[in-house]
Amino acid sequence: MPDNLLQTAPEGAATSTRPSDVPEKFWDAENSTLRVDALLKSYRELERRMSQRLAPPTDASDDEERRRWREMMNIPDSPEGYEIEAKHELCGPDPEINARLHEAGFSCEQVQLVYNLASERLLPLIAEAAQQFEADRQAENLRAHFGGDERFRRVAAQISAWGRANLPPAVFEALATTSEGVLALERMMQGGEPSLARDAAPPTAMDEGELRRMMRDPRYWRQREPEFVKRVTEGFRKLVNG
């Protein structure tokens, strides 16, 4: 009696059929297994090619290879090719910086990020340093005006006590931030001004807000334009005196 044909292929027996998703070069038909050595070799070669493709061209590379690499990395042919959107007028495109970034192989996106970070991080630090420098300069002017640091401290204490007792808090704080304001406070104290009591109705928000906006103007805290500073000081004097 012939053997049972259904028992000629035991369960779990290997098959010589190559899976459809396995390339022929990676299939060992004799053993019905993957050719692991060929698979690893192909992967290493692919990895090597990818790393070479992402690496910048060497000095020995031809112009066409350099062009393809720049195009793939979105690097313009020259620094003038960077299209930068300035987030602030003080952080606009700089030809010298662009040249150095281009030499370093920065892409358009990377260069834009550099300028964005300068605007977001450096400008606040510069503004803070400028304000501190201006505050120190004005404090030095007051020390010179009053004849030294010790006398200035004594007068400052008197002016501060008088101002807090006689002026609305917002007006006193605004005048106390500049040397011109402190001198105006001294003159008001010596002249018996103002006629308004400390607890009198404060100036209108619009007038006070306008003066505060003027104080934030660079013409006031940075350039110290005499006429502009005078307008702010006189404005507060008028608010105090009604």
Side-chain angles (χ1 to χ4, degrees):
M1 179 181 295
D3 294 334
N4 189 333
L5 297 178
L6 297 177
Q7 297 178 355
T8 58
E11 182 178 356
T15 176
S16 60
T17 304
R18 174 173 57 87
S20 59
D21 57 347
V22 177
E24 186 174 355
K25 64 179 180 178
F26 298 137
W27 184 252
D28 185 345
E30 181 177 350
N31 297 311
S32 300
T33 58
L34 284 172
R35 295 182 57 195
V36 178
D37 55 340
L39 189 61
L40 288 175
K41 181 180 179 181
S42 180
Y43 172 78
R44 289 174 183 146
E45 179 64 19
L46 177 63
E47 190 177 52
R48 184 184 66 82
R49 289 179 178 273
M50 288 298 295
S51 63
Q52 289 179 344
R53 188 180 182 187
L54 294 176
T58 63
D59 293 338
S61 303
D62 57 30
D63 293 339
E64 181 60 24
E65 183 179 350
R66 290 177 177 273
R67 186 195 65 77
R68 286 198 302 266
W69 183 78
R70 285 196 302 265
E71 182 178 352
M72 179 184 65
M73 301 299 294
N74 196 22
I75 302 174
D77 293 333
S78 67
E80 292 72 23
Y82 289 127
E83 296 182 0
I84 300 165
E85 179 185 356
K87 301 298 183 180
H88 192 279
E89 59 181 4
L90 295 180
C91 290
D94 183 276
E96 183 177 352
I97 292 178
N98 290 350
R100 295 183 63 180
L101 295 177
H102 187 267
E103 183 180 359
F106 277 50
S107 68
C108 293
E109 293 79 9
Q110 290 172 326
V111 171
Q112 181 66 60
L113 179 60
V114 169
Y115 281 94
N116 289 350
L117 290 175
S119 177
E120 295 170 9
R121 300 295 184 178
L122 291 182
L123 285 181
L125 294 177
I126 293 173
E128 182 179 349
Q131 291 176 358
Q132 184 60 49
F133 173 81
E134 181 61 23
D136 293 342
R137 187 183 71 84
Q138 296 204 34
E140 184 60 34
N141 290 341
L142 289 172
R143 284 190 286 269
H145 174 81
F146 288 110
D149 187 67
E150 183 178 352
R151 186 168 186 275
F152 169 57
R153 286 200 300 269
R154 292 200 305 268
V155 175
Q158 296 172 3
I159 294 175
S160 178
W162 179 88
R164 295 182 186 281
N166 292 275
L167 299 177
V171 174
F172 171 73
E173 293 297 336
L175 289 175
T177 57
T178 66
S179 58
E180 290 84 358
V182 171
L183 295 178
L185 286 170
E186 182 197 25
R187 290 192 296 269
M188 283 190 272
M189 180 181 67
Q190 292 175 348
E193 300 180 23
S195 58
L196 290 179
R198 182 181 184 278
D199 56 354
T204 61
M206 179 178 297
D207 292 338
E208 181 182 332
E210 182 178 357
L211 289 171
R212 286 188 174 277
R213 285 193 293 273
M214 292 176 68
M215 292 180 67
R216 291 194 293 269
D217 191 301
R219 289 176 294 176
Y220 181 84
W221 64 268
R222 185 167 61 191
Q223 285 93 0
R224 305 299 298 167
E225 296 182 7
E227 289 299 323
F228 196 85
V229 172
K230 182 179 179 181
R231 285 171 55 196
V232 176
T233 303
E234 291 301 319
F236 276 109
R237 285 173 61 88
K238 291 178 181 179
L239 284 176
V240 171
N241 290 303

